[in-house]
Amino acid sequence: MKHVLGALLGAVTLLGSGPSIAQTTLTIATVNNGDMIRMQALTNDFTAKNPDVTVKWVTLEENVLRQRVTTTSPPRGASSTC
């Protein structure tokens, strides 16, 4: 993905047009504990440095999060599009 993004940025620069990067949304599922609250507090700094990225936090009960992660994640060794 980095190579594609780098090529896209290079092409835009060569064409002389302003940067036009597609908006990306990261959806992060988390539990409500001290570590995750500290991590969420870093969002503003991250999005300031990455204005083309929006971060969406989803807070779930720990058991619900575990169930969703284990049922939606690809098996070990399988490739993921994420």
Side-chain angles (χ1 to χ4, degrees):
M1 183 67 181
K2 287 183 180 181
H3 297 291
V4 173
L5 184 56
L8 177 62
L9 287 173
V12 168
T13 302
L14 288 175
L15 293 173
S17 62
S20 60
I21 301 172
Q23 183 71 23
T24 301
T25 300
L26 298 176
T27 302
I28 303 172
T30 185
V31 294
N32 191 19
N33 66 30
D35 292 331
M36 298 302 108
I37 291 169
R38 283 189 289 280
M39 188 169 65
Q40 288 179 38
L42 300 172
T43 302
N44 290 338
D45 183 52
F46 175 82
T47 54
K49 293 176 181 174
N50 302 279
D52 57 320
V53 179
T54 300
V55 179
K56 176 182 172 189
W57 292 93
V58 177
T59 304
L60 300 168
E61 294 293 325
E62 186 170 355
N63 292 338
V64 174
L65 178 61
R66 282 184 193 279
Q67 181 182 17
R68 290 188 184 175
V69 168
T70 57
T71 58
T72 60
S73 297
R76 245 186 215 156
S79 63
S80 173
T81 58
C82 297

